C-alpha cells in the first residue's frame, strides 16, 4: 500500500533542498562563464588561423597558448557538469526519500560532498586558466619557470 508523504514531510524536504538548489544556481552561472570564455578563445583562435602566413609570428605563437587555455576551460566545464549532475541527483534523492519514507542523511551528505568536490575542482581549473590568460596579457607566458632555489653557504 502506498502512503504519500505528508505536507510536513514535503515541507521538510523542500527546506532541505534549498541549499543544493542555490549550489545548482551557482554551478549554472559558473558554466555560463566558462562557456563564454571558451567561445571567446575559439573565436580568437579562428581569427588568428584565418590570417595569412604573413601575419606576425607573435600572433601565430599565441595559438598554442589558446589551445592550452581551451583545454583547461574544457576540463573545468567537465567538472562543473559533474557537480551539476551530483547536485541534481541530491535533490531527486531528497524527494524520492520523502515519497518512499526512507532515511537519506548519509546519501545526501555524500552527494553534497561529491558535488562540492567537483565544483571546487572546476574552480581550481578555472583559476589555472585565468592565470594563464593573465600571463598571456602580460606577455610572460613563456616566462613561467620554476623559481630557482637559493643556496645558502653553510656557516
Amino acid at each position: 500500500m502506498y502512503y504519500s508523504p505528508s505536507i510536513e514531510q514535503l515541507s521538510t524536504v523542500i527546506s532541505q533542498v534549498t541549499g543544493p538548489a542555490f549550489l545548482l544556481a551557482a554551478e549554472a552561472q559558473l558554466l555560463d562563464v566558462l562557456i563564454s570564455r571558451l567561445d571567446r578563445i575559439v573565436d580568437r583562435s579562428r581569427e588568428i588561423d584565418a590570417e595569412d602566413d604573413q601575419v606576425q609570428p607573435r600572433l601565430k605563437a599565441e595559438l598554442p597558448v589558446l589551445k592550452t587555455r581551451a583545454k583547461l576551460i574544457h576540463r573545468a566545464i567537465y567538472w562543473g557538469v559533474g557537480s551539476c549532475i551530483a547536485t541534481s541527483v541530491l535533490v531527486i534523492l531528497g524527494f524520492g526519500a520523502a515519497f518512499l519514507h526512507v532515511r537519506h542523511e548519509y546519501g545526501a551528505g555524500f552527494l553534497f560532498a561529491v558535488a562540492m568536490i567537483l565544483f571546487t575542482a572546476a574552480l581550481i581549473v578555472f583559476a589555472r586558466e585565468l592565470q594563464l590568460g593573465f600571463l598571456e596579457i602580460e606577455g610572460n607566458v613563456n616566462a613561467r619557470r620554476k623559481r630557482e632555489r637559493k643556496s645558502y653557504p653553510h656557516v
Side-chain angles (χ1 to χ4, degrees):
M1 189 167 202
Y2 174 73
Y3 296 103
S4 65
S6 67
I7 192 70
E8 291 83 20
Q9 288 173 315
L10 284 176
S11 175
T12 301
V13 171
I14 289 171
S15 67
Q16 289 174 349
V17 299
T18 54
F22 283 116
L23 176 60
L24 195 57
E27 293 163 342
Q29 288 176 344
L30 176 65
L31 287 175
D32 184 45
V33 169
L34 292 172
I35 290 169
S36 295
R37 288 185 70 87
L38 184 60
D39 283 344
R40 294 188 72 202
I41 290 169
V42 169
D43 289 344
R44 178 72 177 145
S45 297
R46 287 181 180 159
E47 178 183 303
I48 291 172
D49 199 38
E51 295 287 333
D52 58 1
D53 291 335
Q54 304 293 332
V55 167
Q56 296 175 351
R58 184 183 62 80
L59 286 178
K60 290 292 185 181
E62 191 178 336
L63 285 174
V65 176
L66 290 172
K67 185 176 181 181
T68 302
R69 289 180 60 198
K71 284 181 183 179
L72 288 171
I73 291 290
H74 181 264
R75 193 173 300 142
I77 290 171
Y78 178 80
W79 293 120
V81 168
S83 180
C84 287
I85 291 170
T87 305
S88 297
V89 170
L90 173 61
V91 172
I92 293 167
L93 174 76
F95 282 104
F99 281 105
L100 298 174
H101 302 285
V102 177
R103 297 186 62 90
H104 66 285
E105 290 84 8
Y106 294 115
F110 175 75
L111 280 172
F112 192 78
V114 167
M116 288 305 299
I117 289 168
L118 293 171
F119 188 62
T120 302
L123 290 172
I124 289 170
V125 175
F126 182 43
R128 289 178 56 206
E129 189 276 331
L130 288 173
Q131 180 184 28
L132 187 58
F134 181 73
L135 289 173
E136 184 181 18
I137 291 170
E138 288 199 338
N140 296 332
V141 175
N142 295 326
R144 291 179 21 175
R145 57 180 177 257
K146 294 180 183 177
R147 286 186 179 177
E148 296 180 26
R149 287 187 168 185
K150 294 182 180 179
S151 59
Y152 296 100
H154 296 321
V155 179

